[in-house]
């Protein structure tokens, strides 16, 4: 615990020393230790107190201080505390009561996932609006970097339309071999909004945007594939589901009608696919691996052994 606090003292001191030239490092460290460790002042308040102290004691005009931000494309390491200015690109449905919001933010250099904890007690972000995010910490979840908004973070909406690197420029064609370790909600036999250009998932006959609509049936899997090094949220469409299980949309509807339960389709897909190794070829977006081709992975044991022996002999 004390070690964590000292790490935060060092991190804030480094940030202040980079921002204000000529400031005495030893003095800053000692005052931060008093504020954060001895008096248990919240981190944001300690930072503000120190900034006011530096400007007063070193005669630095407030208007001459220019706030610096980390470009999202330059965020490459977990454990760093950063300030960023970015636009909210997408808000995703939260999967846990402990998570208030999750989604994507971006600037001209790239995009990154964010997660706002419920305990952060912050006002909700809005898609399309731009914000300054102060004191957010980078973590690594499934080998994917993510910004965490917690109680010590500060969020300020800015009246600025921040340019964002186009998402299509971030797509990458990849092939992944791994185990399907989860099949998420809104998988199986689902219904979509029929309004042109919408295609959102309909629940209880209502689209979240267009209200009550005539739904269109669809079949898909939203799952998680683990290749041993990282996890991928994968979307497999009807063609992929049929390729793996032999279940197409007509068969899925018939199963649901026979059992008076749409959930029977999802249950069957879980039985057939969970824990199985798949080879997925598709397009990797900032959130999903969109499968174009998917098949069961059946390793050629003889080839694998020969390859291993060749590596050992080489």
């Amino acid at each position: 615990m004390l070690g964590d606090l000292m790490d935060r003292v060092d991190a804030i001191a480094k940030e202040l020393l980079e921002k204000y030239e000529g400031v005495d490092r030893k003095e800053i460290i000692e005052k931060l230790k008093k504020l954060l460790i001895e008096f248990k002042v919240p981190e944001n308040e300690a930072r503000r107190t120190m900034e006011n102290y530096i400007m007063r004691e070193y005669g630095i005009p407030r208007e001459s201080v220019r706030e610096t931000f980390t470009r999202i494309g330059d965020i490459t390491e977990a454990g760093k505390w950063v300030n960023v200015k970015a636009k909210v690109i997408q808000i995703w449905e939260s999967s846990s009561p402990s998570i208030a919001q999750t989604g994507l933010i971006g600037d001209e250099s790239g995009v990154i996932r964010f997660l706002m904890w419920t305990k952060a007690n912050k006002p909700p972000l809005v898609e399309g609006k731009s914000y300054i995010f102060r004191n957010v910490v980078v973590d690594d979840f499934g080998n994917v970097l993510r910004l965490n908004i917690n109680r010590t973070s500060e969020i300020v909406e800015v009246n600025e339309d921040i340019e964002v690197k186009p998402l299509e420029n971030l797509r990458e064609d990849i092939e992944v071999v791994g185990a399907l370790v989860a099949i998420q909600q809104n998988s199986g036999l689902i219904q979509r909004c029929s309004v042109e250009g919408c295609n959102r998932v309909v629940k209880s006959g209502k689209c979240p945007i267009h209200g009550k609509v005539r739904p269109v049936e669809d079949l898909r899997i939203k799952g998680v594939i683990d290749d041993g090094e990282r996890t991928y949220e994968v979307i497999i469409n009807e063609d992929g589901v049929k390729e793996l299980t032999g279940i197409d949309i007509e068969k899925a509807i018939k199963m649901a009608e026979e059992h008076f339960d749409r959930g029977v389709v999802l249950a069957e897909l879980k039985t057939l696919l969970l824990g199985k190794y798949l080879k997925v070829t598709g397009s990797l977006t900032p959130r999903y691996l969109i499968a174009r081709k998917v098949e069961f992975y059946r390793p050629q044991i003889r080839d694998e052994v020969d390859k291993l022996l060749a590596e050992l002999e080489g």
Side-chain angles (χ1 to χ4, degrees):
M1 184 67 179
L2 183 59
D4 292 341
L5 284 172
M6 280 307 302
D7 288 343
R8 294 305 306 138
V9 167
D10 290 338
I12 297 173
K14 181 180 178 184
E15 177 188 324
L16 294 174
L17 291 168
E18 289 175 351
K19 189 172 181 178
Y20 301 97
E21 293 182 357
V23 177
D24 185 272
R25 183 177 187 280
K26 183 177 178 181
E27 179 187 19
I28 298 301
I29 292 283
E30 289 304 316
K31 289 189 178 299
L32 280 172
K33 284 166 64 176
K34 277 192 176 180
L35 289 170
L36 290 171
I37 300 175
E38 186 175 340
F39 299 126
K40 303 187 186 308
V41 174
E43 196 170 300
N44 275 344
E45 187 58 36
R47 182 184 282 101
R48 276 195 292 270
T49 299
M50 288 304 303
E51 294 212 48
N52 289 334
Y53 171 81
I54 290 170
M55 285 187 282
R56 184 176 65 250
E57 293 299 315
Y58 288 81
I60 301 174
R62 183 175 294 276
E63 57 272 16
S64 69
V65 179
R66 183 181 179 186
E67 191 169 24
T68 58
F69 300 100
T70 301
R71 284 161 39 97
I72 287 178
D74 294 333
I75 296 174
T76 58
E77 186 179 353
K80 299 288 186 182
W81 290 76
V82 295
N83 301 327
V84 301
K85 188 159 69 170
K87 178 190 284 186
V88 177
I89 304 168
Q90 293 176 357
I91 301 288
W92 304 332
E93 187 175 348
S94 172
S95 59
S96 166
S98 64
I99 299 173
Q101 281 187 312
T102 183
L104 279 181
I105 60 174
D107 63 14
E108 76 286 351
S109 67
V111 302
I112 193 169
R113 298 185 185 197
F114 78 89
L115 184 149
M116 181 193 292
W117 296 104
T118 303
K119 287 184 177 178
N121 197 28
K122 307 295 182 190
L125 303 176
V126 178
E127 281 186 1
K129 289 192 174 183
S130 301
Y131 299 85
I132 289 174
F133 299 85
R134 293 190 178 96
N135 203 32
V136 290
V137 62
V138 185
D139 77 350
D140 183 328
F141 183 76
N143 263 354
V144 178
L145 293 179
R146 184 178 63 179
L147 289 183
N148 278 254
I149 300 168
N150 55 37
R151 280 182 291 189
T152 66
S153 304
E154 183 181 4
I155 302 173
V156 179
E157 183 181 341
V158 292
N159 186 23
E160 183 178 349
D161 187 16
I162 294 176
E163 183 181 349
V164 177
K165 189 171 185 176
L167 292 181
E168 54 267 29
N169 292 350
L170 299 169
R171 288 174 179 262
E172 176 186 1
D173 287 340
I174 64 170
E175 180 180 279
V176 173
V177 173
L180 185 67
V181 296
I183 295 180
Q184 301 169 322
Q185 291 182 337
N186 294 328
S187 295
L189 186 60
I190 62 170
Q191 293 183 319
R192 295 188 182 277
C193 178
S194 56
V195 175
E196 185 176 357
C198 180
N199 210 36
R200 286 178 172 82
V201 174
V202 170
K203 294 180 179 177
S204 303
K206 288 186 177 180
C207 168
I209 300 297
H210 300 102
K212 195 170 181 59
V213 295
R214 183 189 295 274
V216 177
E217 299 286 354
D218 193 12
L219 180 66
R220 73 166 182 187
I221 290 173
K222 283 178 64 182
V224 178
I225 284 189
D226 188 335
D227 70 355
E229 293 184 354
R230 65 164 285 185
T231 56
Y232 300 83
E233 287 189 85
V234 62
I235 291 183
I236 302 172
N237 64 15
E238 182 198 348
D239 290 341
V241 174
K242 183 180 178 182
E243 178 68 27
L244 294 171
T245 66
I247 300 174
D248 58 13
I249 189 74
E250 288 77 16
K251 186 172 181 179
I253 292 172
K254 187 176 180 181
M255 290 168 63
E257 290 174 346
E258 288 177 351
H259 291 81
F260 301 101
D261 180 5
R262 301 174 64 86
V264 70
V265 179
L266 178 57
E268 180 67 7
L269 295 179
K270 287 183 175 179
T271 299
L272 295 172
L273 297 175
L274 271 181
K276 302 294 177 57
Y277 277 80
L278 305 178
K279 182 161 75 173
V280 180
T281 304
S283 179
L284 183 63
T285 71
R287 182 178 187 186
Y288 290 113
L289 168 58
I290 311 294
R292 287 196 305 274
K293 181 180 178 184
V294 58
E295 58 187 312
F296 288 110
Y297 177 64
R298 297 181 176 85
Q300 301 297 317
I301 301 299
R302 183 68 255 175
D303 292 345
E304 294 291 331
V305 170
D306 290 344
K307 182 179 176 182
L308 181 60
L309 289 173
E311 289 177 355
L312 291 173
E313 292 170 356

